[in-house]
Amino acid sequence: MKRLCRVHDAITSATFWAASFGVLYLTLVTAGEVFGRYVLAAPSDWAPDTAAVSFGLITFFAVPYLTWKSGHASMDFIVNAVPRRVSVTMMRVNYVIGFAVCALCAWVGGVEAARQITSGVMIVSVTPIPKWVVFVPLVYGLGNSALYFIRHFVATFGHDPDTTEGAHEWSGT
């Protein structure tokens, strides 16, 4: 199981790096478009379209890493204020809800992505881009985050709820 978790983490790290390069791409394309449009008076047709698609790719390639590292926004003042045993129970409930929501959205997104692939749905823009190019990363990001929520949930059973010591290796944190 440890090996499977390490492979999962390696894939997540790789897609996070892809998201980082996506930010570089978005920055360069946007800067080039601004220069071309306002300095050269020659706007491109493709830059705004690919920039819009890259936002989705950046988001859904980065989300699993943030879920893995618990880097998402968390209003945990109540969880931190209650006794440790109650806090662990609250975290477990949150992890199960996070898993359920992400898994359901990934499943619905997967069904829609399959429909888009088979019917050839395109994003309506100047540059024709298949819509599944955004939906497949959405399914990956939400499905992968669902797996991390389950890993975090399982990790809460690897230590004594009355202490903060001894977290299980499942969560990878």
Side-chain angles (χ1 to χ4, degrees):
M1 189 54 74
K2 286 182 184 181
R3 179 176 289 191
L4 193 56
C5 289
R6 282 196 298 270
V7 169
H8 182 216
D9 296 342
I11 292 168
T12 299
S13 293
T15 56
F16 183 77
W17 277 104
S20 300
F21 284 113
V23 171
L24 177 64
Y25 170 82
L26 181 62
T27 302
L28 293 175
V29 165
T30 303
E33 175 63 14
V34 168
F35 182 78
R37 180 177 300 268
Y38 296 109
V39 175
L40 303 177
S44 69
D45 292 339
W46 59 270
D49 298 335
T50 61
V53 169
S54 71
F55 276 117
L57 299 178
I58 291 165
T59 300
F60 292 109
F61 282 167
V63 161
Y65 186 86
L66 296 175
T67 307
W68 171 24
K69 298 297 184 179
S70 298
H72 50 281
S74 177
M75 293 189 226
D76 57 1
F77 58 90
I78 294 174
V79 173
N80 292 334
V82 297
R84 181 76 181 146
R85 193 169 292 279
V86 175
S87 173
V88 169
T89 301
M90 292 171 77
M91 289 180 350
R92 287 176 181 159
V93 169
N94 283 336
Y95 292 145
V96 169
I97 291 170
F99 165 77
V101 169
C102 287
L104 178 64
C105 290
W107 181 73
V108 170
V111 170
E112 178 60 18
R115 185 191 70 77
Q116 292 168 358
I117 290 169
T118 58
S119 59
V121 177
M122 304 294 273
I123 294 173
V124 178
S125 61
V126 176
T127 307
I129 301 170
K131 202 169 195 178
W132 63 263
V133 169
V134 175
F135 265 80
V136 168
L138 178 146
V139 172
Y140 161 78
L142 294 174
N144 202 355
S145 289
L147 293 176
Y148 278 113
F149 279 122
I150 283 298
R151 286 177 62 183
H152 288 312
F153 174 77
V154 169
T156 65
F157 293 99
H159 66 282
D160 180 4
D162 292 327
T163 69
T164 57
E165 300 298 319
H168 194 273
E169 70 274 355
W170 271 65
S171 71
T173 56

